[in-house]
């Protein structure tokens, strides 16, 4: 008898909803690969800034896409980003990139150039791919679509706590303002805006801790794969 089917799982949701950490943990439990597509947009942004390329110069930005590689970390997750043999994973997650990445992610030419890369990674199944438009644009035929959500206040509280900040500190309030700004930009851009696919399973995490959220994702995948039957 063959084991459960190995699915293609699209995991979308707003910034700081826990997609990367939850998706990676769920993938590990399922023996799936994990891919965080936000890294690709972050890497294009980082390279543009480093090379002094105007983030409005679409042709030049598209030219950067082929130089970016995702590589597995020690646990086999595609969560490292490499350019010319150089590991940029830490550099692309800074506040400076947070601030500029939406300008790059809104450009249709950049999104189109990244599409085949993302689809190729998903080929063969057994993958959780996280992003904003995975269920709606990148993998509209995914076996399972999950939309991981939390209120903006809760997402800001978690991000501030990660950085050791109390909720009333000015830096914590800046995190909340920045998340609101990025939500607005991600949701209102004309191309591939942040939206739940109509057939996505919604998981609202305000009342769930990390372990409960991972368990909810794993359960949804097992259900969809027919492993519970
Ligand atoms: O998930 P993140 O914060 O690392 O994403 C960084 C940026 O890239 C954010 O502005 C949204 C954008 N993004 C996107 O538009 N589509 C994706 N599939 C993934 C990320």
């Amino acid at each position: 008898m063959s084991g459960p089917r190995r699915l293609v799982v699209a995991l979308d949701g707003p910034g700081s909803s826990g997609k990367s950490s939850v998706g990676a943990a769920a993938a590990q439990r399922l023996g799936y690969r994990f891919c965080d597509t936000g890294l690709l947009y972050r890497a294009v942004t980082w390279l543009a800034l480093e090379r002094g390329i105007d983030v409005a110069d679409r042709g030049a930005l598209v030219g950067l896409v082929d130089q970016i590689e995702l590589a597995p970390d020690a646990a086999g997750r595609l969560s490292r980003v490499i350019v010319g043999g150089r590991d940029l994973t830490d550099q692309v997650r800074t506040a400076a990139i947070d601030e500029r990445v939406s300008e790059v992610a809104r450009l249709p030419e950049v999104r189109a150039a990244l599409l085949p890369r993302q689809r190729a990674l998903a080929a063969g199944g057994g993958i959780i791919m996280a992003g904003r438009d995975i269920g709606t644009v990148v993998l509209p035929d995914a076996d399972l679509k999950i939309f991981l959500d939390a209120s903006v206040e809760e997402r800001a509280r978690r991000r501030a706590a990660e950085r050791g900040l109390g909720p009333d500190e000015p830096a914590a309030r800046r995190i909340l303002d920045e998340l609101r700004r990025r939500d607005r930009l991600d949701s209102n851009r004309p191309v591939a805006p942040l939206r739940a696919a109509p057939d996505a399973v919604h998981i609202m995490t305000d009342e769930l801790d990390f372990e409960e959220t991972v368990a909810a994702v794993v359960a949804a995948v097992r259900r969809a794969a027919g492993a519970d039957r």
Side-chain angles (χ1 to χ4, degrees):
M1 213 179 80
S2 63
R5 260 191 331 129
R6 292 172 59 73
L7 307 184
V8 171
V9 180
L11 179 63
D12 290 301
S16 293
S17 58
K19 293 182 305 289
S20 310
S21 49
V22 166
Q28 191 162 23
R29 231 164 271 185
L30 290 159
Y32 278 29
R33 293 172 296 141
F34 174 72
C35 172
D36 175 4
T37 61
L39 285 175
L40 295 168
Y41 294 92
R42 289 175 176 275
V44 175
T45 310
W46 188 90
L47 272 175
L49 294 176
E50 195 206 39
R51 297 191 184 167
I53 294 171
D54 187 333
V55 292
D57 183 346
R58 301 171 183 216
L61 292 182
V62 165
L64 299 174
V65 165
D66 279 344
Q67 303 174 33
I68 297 166
E69 268 175 75
L70 291 182
D73 62 15
R77 299 173 288 232
L78 293 169
S79 60
R80 290 172 46 226
V81 65
I82 312 284
V83 174
R86 198 163 147 208
D87 191 326
L88 298 182
T89 312
D90 291 336
Q91 284 96 317
V92 304
R93 292 199 187 281
T94 56
I97 302 300
D98 282 355
E99 238 171 64
R100 305 298 301 274
V101 64
S102 293
E103 288 170 58
V104 171
R106 62 187 278 278
L107 301 173
E109 293 84 353
V110 172
R111 306 198 70 85
L114 287 171
L115 256 189
R117 302 283 300 275
Q118 297 171 84
R119 288 184 178 152
L121 287 169
I127 188 165
I128 297 180
M129 184 170 280
R132 301 289 192 290
D133 62 336
I134 308 302
T136 51
V137 177
V138 178
L139 304 171
D141 298 325
D143 300 300
L144 172 66
K145 300 173 185 178
I146 297 176
F147 195 82
L148 201 63
D149 209 355
S151 65
V152 70
E153 292 80 9
E154 176 61 18
R155 286 182 279 129
R157 196 192 60 70
R158 290 178 193 163
R159 166 100 17 136
E162 269 166 30
R163 296 186 184 167
L165 299 166
D168 294 326
E169 291 184 49
R173 280 201 297 276
R174 278 199 296 279
I175 289 176
L176 177 59
D177 289 344
E178 173 61 20
L179 271 181
R180 284 199 170 117
R181 187 183 75 90
R182 281 216 292 148
D183 278 1
R184 210 166 40 241
L185 292 172
D186 290 345
S187 304
N188 293 326
R189 67 178 177 224
V191 181
L194 170 67
R195 289 263 187 290
D199 51 346
V201 174
H202 265 256
I203 301 179
M204 189 67 189
T205 68
D206 280 42
E207 307 292 328
L208 302 180
D209 67 20
F210 179 75
E211 276 304 319
E212 291 169 330
T213 310
V214 174
V217 170
V218 169
V221 175
R222 293 207 165 121
R223 227 171 12 248
D228 288 344
R229 273 180 272 148

